[in-house]
Amino acid sequence: MSEYLKQHQKYLKNWYLIQLGVMVIIGIVYPILSKMGLLGSIVIAVFVIMLWIIEGLLGLLPFLSRQAVPRKPKTGWQRALRVNSYFQTIIQMFLIPLTLQAITWMLYHYLGINVNVLTVLGMLVLLVAFVPVMVVFTKDVSSIVGRIILLTEVIFAETVGMSFVTTGVNKASESSFLKDLISTGVWGALSFVITVGVLMAFWGYRLPSFKFRIKPHWIIFTLLVLFSIWFVTYNAFASGDSWKNFLTAYDFHMKKPSLYMFLSGLEPGIAEEWLYRFSILSLLLYAFRNNKFQVKLSVFISAAIFGVWHLSNALGGQNFLATLEQIIFAFSFGVFAASAYLFTRSLLFTMVFHLFTDALAMMASGTEMMSKPGLSDWIAVSVQGAMFILIGQFLLSKTEKMIPESEILSGGRLDEQASLSNY
């Protein structure tokens, strides 16, 4: 391991210790300063303070233990440290935005600092606040399944979904533009990119390229771009109501062409592509590195995870049949996007495609939620899915049958890169 990485990991660990100390202090002080108004009673306040003290001690375990967390724990203490790696990733990803909200509240109420200034400062802090947790704890998670679960259900959910808690101090005075950046998840998406980019580097993976490598297949690439433009247009403006006209009828009226809807499409274009087409696909490609079906298995499993992940929309109030249609669409979309990414070697292509697929559809429909599908919708999603999967298979046939480790990892073997975890 180079001295450069050692030096920077020291800085990140020191940053973590300072951040943990601030979190524990705020967790203890805030209930007192707020006069338990949000807590209801002194008993609850004392209980919360005790929890913060316990969390502070658990957060210090890696520094109190002389043992590094091995890839395969053998002793009870090593297993406890591994469990704590998961626990601290989950709990600190949740507590950091709440701590930031408490700091914002105190600065506003006791120092009278302008709410928009506080919001901007909070947003800047939130861009990088999760990085130390990744370096101290999450990098020690070696299980592929564990990594995927943490990426999808914890890190993505907390960076993109919890960023809104930095606002709310004085809603009447907040900038509408700042509120849109936060509430749409765009700012959280940028935080997610930075957080997971650092994490993937510590896990030993290359960051994705944004340059196109299509010289041998420029005609195919041109046709791919033309298809993508057509599909984005069709997805947003198709108005067919039967199998006879579902590909030929269009209505180019937009019900809500707003910045908010554009940003709502930009968030998945950034965060979901960084999660599924870069992070999870890279993890799977390495996991199946010795399998002759490495690429296809990785593409289809990543697409399946992407599809099933949309089931959460039903919990948000979306019609179940609409959610089922969305899952089917997302799976086939995931196959196409992963195949296009591997074919072009550029994450920029899938990011832009995803952005305009979602943003234009939201502007045209005027809503972020899908409505209950009719017969024409099921016909359309079936045809779209078939097209996506067939085109994806064709693109994969033009891609290397096996992706070498040098294309996935940042250099050296993964277990050698994982020695970062033991520093």
Side-chain angles (χ1 to χ4, degrees), residues 12-21 23-24 50-65 69 77 80-81 83-93 95-96 132-140:
L12 288 168
K13 286 187 174 183
N14 290 336
W15 173 7
Y16 167 80
L17 289 172
I18 295 172
Q19 185 166 286
L20 178 66
M23 287 172 59
V24 172
M50 290 177 62
L51 288 179
W52 271 106
I53 294 173
I54 294 171
E55 164 56 22
L57 293 174
L58 291 174
L60 288 174
L61 274 185
F63 302 90
L64 300 175
S65 172
V69 182
W77 179 246
L81 290 175
V83 171
N84 194 48
S85 294
Y86 282 91
F87 177 73
Q88 290 301 318
T89 299
I90 295 169
I91 196 67
Q92 291 202 36
M93 290 293 296
L95 292 176
I96 286 172
V133 181
M134 303 297 106
V135 174
V136 174
F137 291 105
T138 320
K139 67 172 174 36
D140 291 330

Side-chain angles (χ1 to χ4, degrees), residues 142-164:
S142 57
S143 162
I144 294 295
V145 174
R147 288 177 174 183
I148 291 174
I149 291 174
L150 286 179
L151 284 170
T152 56
E153 301 305 316
V154 179
I155 302 173
F156 181 91
E158 300 302 337
T159 51
V160 177
M162 286 292 287
S163 59
F164 73 90

Side-chain angles (χ1 to χ4, degrees), residues 117-384:
V117 172
L118 290 174
T119 301
V120 170
L121 291 175
M123 291 168 67
L124 292 175
V125 170
L126 206 62
L127 276 181
V128 295
F130 302 110
V131 169
V133 181
M134 303 297 106
V135 174
V136 174
F137 291 105
T138 320
K139 67 172 174 36
D140 291 330
V141 175
S142 57
S143 162
I144 294 295
V145 174
R147 288 177 174 183
I148 291 174
I149 291 174
L150 286 179
L151 284 170
T152 56
E153 301 305 316
V154 179
I155 302 173
F156 181 91
E158 300 302 337
T159 51
V160 177
M162 286 292 287
S163 59
F164 73 90
V165 300
T166 58
T167 63
V169 174
N170 186 342
K171 293 184 178 181
S173 302
E174 289 175 3
S175 161
S176 59
F177 176 68
L178 293 179
K179 283 194 290 187
D180 285 350
L181 275 180
I182 295 171
S183 61
T184 57
V186 169
W187 198 259
L190 297 178
S191 174
F192 179 77
V193 167
I194 294 171
T195 301
V196 174
V198 171
L199 178 60
M200 291 293 286
F202 271 92
W203 280 342
Y205 291 87
R206 286 184 179 276
L207 294 180
S209 172
F210 292 91
K211 295 181 180 180
F212 295 96
R213 286 189 283 174
I214 42 90
K215 286 184 180 179
H217 303 295
W218 64 270
I219 295 178
I220 296 174
F221 176 72
T222 302
L223 293 174
L224 178 63
V225 171
L226 292 174
F227 168 79
S228 300
I229 293 172
W230 168 79
F231 177 79
V232 165
T233 305
Y234 167 81
N235 185 63
F237 305 111
S239 59
D241 55 4
S242 71
W243 66 270
K244 294 181 179 179
N245 65 356
F246 78 95
L247 286 176
T248 58
Y250 294 86
D251 178 3
F252 290 98
H253 171 70
M254 287 189 178
K255 294 181 179 179
K256 197 175 181 180
S258 64
L259 175 64
Y260 180 88
M261 285 299 188
F262 178 81
L263 293 175
S264 295
L266 180 60
E267 176 269 308
I270 296 173
E272 292 180 16
E273 291 307 306
W274 194 262
L275 172 60
Y276 289 98
R277 258 58 77 181
F278 161 50
S279 305
I280 291 178
L281 186 60
S282 295
L283 291 171
L284 291 171
L285 284 169
Y286 184 79
F288 293 117
R289 63 193 179 279
N290 296 321
N291 192 303
K292 66 178 180 178
F293 300 112
Q294 175 208 31
V295 175
K296 287 187 177 181
L297 279 172
S298 301
V299 166
F300 277 87
I301 292 175
S302 67
I305 297 171
F306 181 56
V308 172
W309 178 76
H310 284 80
L311 185 62
S312 61
N313 290 335
L315 301 177
Q318 183 171 269
N319 178 271
F320 180 77
L321 287 178
T323 302
L324 180 60
E325 179 195 14
Q326 189 178 31
I327 290 172
I328 296 171
F329 173 80
F331 168 74
S332 60
F333 181 97
V335 171
F336 172 79
S339 303
Y341 169 55
L342 293 176
F343 173 76
T344 62
R345 291 294 200 274
S346 173
L347 196 64
L348 180 62
F349 179 87
T350 62
M351 281 183 164
V352 173
F353 179 64
H354 200 154
L355 157 64
F356 284 102
T357 296
D358 284 8
L360 287 180
M362 291 176 188
M363 292 183 197
S365 65
T367 179
E368 299 175 66
M369 304 288 278
M370 295 178 63
S371 58
K372 184 177 180 180
L375 178 60
S376 60
D377 296 310
W378 287 112
I379 294 173
V381 78
S382 300
V383 174
Q384 292 167 18

